[in-house]
Amino acid sequence: MDDQTNAKPASEISKLRQRYADIVILRASVQAIPYIGGSLDTLLAGRAAQIHLEQVEKFASDLAHRLAAVESAAANLNDEAFADLMLSTFEEVARTRSDQKRSRFAEIITNQIAKPMPWEEPENAVRLLSDLEDIHIEIIEAALHAPTAEGAFSNLRVISLNTEPIDSGMQNAPVSLFTSFPRYGGAALRMACAELTAKGLLHDEGIGRWDMGAMKYFVPTDLAEWLSEWISQAHRK
């Protein structure tokens, strides 16, 4: 029984590997990615069989476009850590339906190739991003670009789950997420803020501050800023 059970996944992996090997256009597009195309082709044809090829094709196209603007590859592409990073990234790319999220994964890889950091850095960025959806990233960016508040939250960048935050009459009042993201429901915004707080990307600033209450006012953390740098071009400058 165990042999039969184990044989089926192996068969499916073989089929997926063969599918990639048979798609000449996709293989050609992967091989054409500057600096890393040959290595990626080897990974996809051999070790990274459990993937959705359509997502990989879109990711490969995005990555090729980004790397075309990179003057040279500074990272050591022969490092085993490079293969590990690419395999883990492909696994996450295959799971997401979001074009924006795939682009963020591509930006992490591009940043590492153009201006390499210790391999643990992009690996952690990929792992953290894999747990986030577009709504989380939008909230993080809103927090990082909020104006420096005056009044109750002096010198802090604050976002709020109140329609009319405290000091809303002031020029640099906390940013209301309900106003900024009307396409999301209140429950979705609250859940996203709770998840970001649990992951250390937001800090609940309302707790202990003049009895404002929990889950109403948030400030971005250093971890949020770190992730934002990895998924934006700022990291390469």
Side-chain angles (χ1 to χ4, degrees), residues 84-146:
D84 291 341
L85 173 63
M86 292 309 306
L87 286 172
S88 61
T89 302
F90 275 122
E91 289 175 359
E92 299 304 333
V93 166
R95 293 190 182 104
T96 182
R97 297 186 299 271
S98 169
D99 291 336
Q100 291 181 329
K101 190 169 183 178
R102 277 193 297 271
S103 292
R104 294 180 185 114
F105 283 123
E107 191 63 29
I108 291 173
I109 301 303
T110 304
N111 281 331
Q112 177 65 7
I113 290 172
K115 189 178 179 181
M117 301 289 287
W119 288 103
E120 291 80 5
E121 291 269 311
E123 287 174 348
N124 288 335
V126 166
R127 185 164 63 251
L128 183 55
L129 179 59
S130 68
D131 292 334
L132 304 178
E133 303 302 332
D134 291 341
I135 185 174
H136 298 109
I137 301 299
E138 291 177 36
I139 291 174
I140 288 173
E141 293 301 320
L144 290 172
H145 291 94

Side-chain angles (χ1 to χ4, degrees), residues 14-236:
S14 298
K15 290 178 181 178
L16 284 169
R17 184 181 296 125
Q18 187 61 45
R19 282 180 59 200
Y20 176 76
D22 290 343
I23 300 176
V24 177
I25 295 177
L26 175 55
R27 292 201 66 174
S29 66
V30 168
Q31 290 168 357
I33 296 176
Y35 311 118
I36 63 175
S39 298
L40 294 189
D41 178 61
T42 300
L43 289 173
L44 288 170
R47 296 164 59 193
Q50 296 183 16
I51 55 175
H52 299 292
L53 297 182
E54 182 178 356
Q55 273 86 326
V56 170
E57 185 173 13
K58 292 178 181 178
F59 174 75
S61 176
D62 191 353
L63 187 58
H65 176 74
R66 293 169 188 273
L67 287 175
V70 173
E71 294 182 358
S72 63
N76 178 12
L77 304 183
N78 294 319
D79 196 313
E80 184 178 351
F82 168 73
D84 291 341
L85 173 63
M86 292 309 306
L87 286 172
S88 61
T89 302
F90 275 122
E91 289 175 359
E92 299 304 333
V93 166
R95 293 190 182 104
T96 182
R97 297 186 299 271
S98 169
D99 291 336
Q100 291 181 329
K101 190 169 183 178
R102 277 193 297 271
S103 292
R104 294 180 185 114
F105 283 123
E107 191 63 29
I108 291 173
I109 301 303
T110 304
N111 281 331
Q112 177 65 7
I113 290 172
K115 189 178 179 181
M117 301 289 287
W119 288 103
E120 291 80 5
E121 291 269 311
E123 287 174 348
N124 288 335
V126 166
R127 185 164 63 251
L128 183 55
L129 179 59
S130 68
D131 292 334
L132 304 178
E133 303 302 332
D134 291 341
I135 185 174
H136 298 109
I137 301 299
E138 291 177 36
I139 291 174
I140 288 173
E141 293 301 320
L144 290 172
H145 291 94
T148 302
E150 302 172 359
F153 295 101
S154 180
N155 297 321
L156 295 176
R157 298 184 183 277
V158 185
I159 55 176
S160 175
L161 284 175
N162 285 343
T163 304
E164 295 186 6
I166 191 172
D167 298 332
S168 57
M170 304 181 85
Q171 183 176 1
N172 294 332
V175 174
S176 170
L177 295 179
F178 295 129
T179 301
S180 299
F181 303 109
R183 64 187 178 280
Y184 293 126
L189 290 170
R190 290 187 181 91
M191 181 176 294
C193 286
E195 291 167 343
L196 288 170
T197 301
K199 293 182 181 301
L201 292 159
L202 290 181
H203 174 69
D204 190 339
E205 190 66 22
I207 298 177
R209 184 182 286 270
W210 301 345
D211 296 325
M212 291 181 182
M215 291 296 296
K216 293 182 179 180
Y217 295 93
F218 305 89
V219 297
T221 64
D222 292 342
L223 182 60
E225 185 172 355
W226 172 84
L227 178 62
S228 180
E229 290 177 353
W230 268 105
I231 60 178
S232 70
Q233 294 184 0
H235 186 75
R236 297 203 297 272

